[in-house]
Amino acid sequence: MKPLVLFTATALLTASAAMAQTAPDSTAAAAAPANPLTTYGFVDGYYGYDFKHAATNQRPGFLYSHNRQNEFTVNNAVIGLRYDNGQVRGALGLHAGTYVSANYAAEDQVLKHLYEAYAGFRPFKKAWLDVGIFGSHIGFESAISKDNWTLTRSLMAENSPYYEAGARLTYEVSPKLTLTGLVLNGWQNIRENNQAKAVGTQIQWKPTDKLLINSSTFYGNEQPQDSVRRRRYFHDFYVSYAATDRLSLALVFDVGKQESEQRGGKADTWHTGAAFVRYKLADKWTAAARAEYYNADRGVIISSISPVAAATDFKVQAASLNLDYAPTSNVTFRVEGRTFHGRQPFLTDRNGNPTRNYGNLTSSIALSF
């Protein structure tokens, strides 16, 4: 793995240097902003209610955002600083909430409240090299709900990285094409859990102002140091399209494979897809719909990163409908209804019986500044 990491990092740096050396003068970095230091904040308060699920305030374990029900609480509250003078940049953000409690449960207490913490500089024209903790290069959705088309996250977003720790090299080939290479501690973990590093790539192409195409990859061994190596291969693809001033569409597809616990055994694979439709009803009103599915051999990733032979497959379909009201530019009130259906029982209902069906309602008021 070490030679692969060194080779990848060297190749990325060499390629970036070559592109920078051949770039015309017109591609020089933009002028530094008037005020390089900015502050930001975000608060997402919510209330949810579940149907036909166990009599507990905890939503199913494969949901991490807005994962409490019949309880008024905060999904994510973020406060931070960012610095960018055109040549040097960095960020420090802190967060807390039920999302943090659920998604960072395995992290050290001193690190779990870091939303982002990185420092970077321009090694070449149009390139950035950052080291630290930052948002994931994978997926159509982020940890900040206001930036997503739907209030809750899709199953694929909930069960792929929201954040990463490592080094990333980003190169803007042109205003329409951006390339990123990463060397990471692993699949959504701040602390390293073994002596192997993971690598990732991202290609974002925007051929027109209305169309965005993204391809992201991940490769690494995510098993603890004293466990059998089980290499993971993953690809995330999505495309978003602004059909009109009111109508936007998006398609997302993920596929992954992880080696079996037995040498030569059948690998565990998973694939998941989602379709989004968003429509602006009026100046302050927007509606969005989502249809999705998730298929995972032996529940790999979504139930366990290290499934055993007796583990069952996870095959679930889901749909949601979202209504947003934005009284001002920095406040959004959202309500969403969501339903899940499995090919076989995947939850326990309030009476302790296995069930193939599950539904919930979630409402939220989000403020950003």
Side-chain angles (χ1 to χ4, degrees), residues 12-13 16 123-124 127-130 167-171 179-182:
L12 288 169
L13 290 171
S16 296
F124 322 109
W128 283 104
L129 177 62
D130 302 306
R168 66 181 176 189
L169 181 65
T170 305
Y171 189 84
L179 308 178
T180 303
L182 305 99

Side-chain angles (χ1 to χ4, degrees), residues 203-255:
I203 301 172
Q204 282 206 330
W205 181 41
K206 196 170 185 178
T208 71
D209 291 339
K210 294 184 176 183
L211 181 64
L212 172 64
I213 300 173
N214 181 93
S215 172
S216 299
T217 66
F218 176 94
Y219 165 82
N221 170 37
E222 294 309 296
Q223 304 306 308
Q225 183 64 30
D226 56 352
S227 300
V228 176
R229 184 184 68 183
R230 300 168 78 166
R231 288 173 293 194
R232 184 177 302 167
Y233 310 82
F234 178 81
H235 182 254
D236 162 70
F237 174 84
Y238 67 81
V239 55
S240 64
Y241 178 64
T244 69
D245 292 341
R246 292 180 177 270
L247 178 64
S248 297
L249 309 170
L251 291 174
V252 190
F253 180 77
D254 289 356
V255 60

Side-chain angles (χ1 to χ4, degrees), residues 90-93 114-119 131-134:
L92 175 61
L114 286 175
Y115 170 66
E116 60 179 354
Y118 66 86
V131 174
I133 303 167
F134 35 79

